[in-house]
Amino acid sequence: MDVLSSRVLLHPTDPQATTAFYRDTLGLAVYREFPGGTVFFLGGGFLEIVGRGQAGPTADMALWLQVRDLAATLAELRQRGVEPFSGPKREPWGLDEAWIRDPDGTRIVLVEVPAEHPLRVDVREPA
């Protein structure tokens, strides 16, 4: 399989509130808008808010969003009325994480990779 692009699709119960949350509260940049949906830039992929869902989110799904500065991101979100329901804290696997929810309750983990974490350290042998 040769994947050229990818996106996560969310079918919210209140599309207007969910679109406003991702656009205005989280401040995600809009990639594209079309009748019935909005696509946001999401780092190396996209998040598409489209249609209307009936069941709401499942605990089996979450969005993982890496940020540069978790403390600054949370301070900004608190000014916009968003409080984490978990964290911020350093997890046993070494990442700094805080969890928030969108208007439908979809769980979103905000992650900062500390400078000393193996994901950021060049482990190659020097040349």
Side-chain angles (χ1 to χ4, degrees), residues 37-119:
T38 302
V39 181
F40 295 96
F41 284 103
L42 200 62
F46 300 96
L47 172 65
E48 183 172 324
I49 309 299
V50 63
R52 182 179 296 273
Q54 302 298 319
T58 171
D60 296 334
M61 189 274 216
L63 296 176
W64 191 95
L65 305 180
Q66 182 179 344
V67 298
R68 288 189 196 284
D69 184 330
L70 184 59
T73 298
L74 290 174
E76 194 176 308
L77 290 175
R78 284 183 175 111
Q79 289 179 347
R80 297 177 185 162
V82 178
E83 283 292 329
F85 67 87
S86 179
K89 64 183 175 184
R90 172 105 6 123
E91 295 292 354
W93 42 90
L95 299 176
D96 296 334
E97 298 184 359
W99 290 79
I100 62 172
R101 287 187 172 93
D102 77 4
D104 264 347
T106 299
R107 297 173 311 124
I108 303 167
V109 59
L110 304 173
V111 178
E112 180 180 343
V113 180
E116 69 278 4
H117 194 278
L119 289 173

Side-chain angles (χ1 to χ4, degrees), residues 7-22:
R7 61 180 68 169
V8 174
L9 302 177
L10 286 184
H11 301 283
T13 58
D14 185 342
Q16 292 172 329
T18 299
T19 299
F21 175 81
Y22 286 98

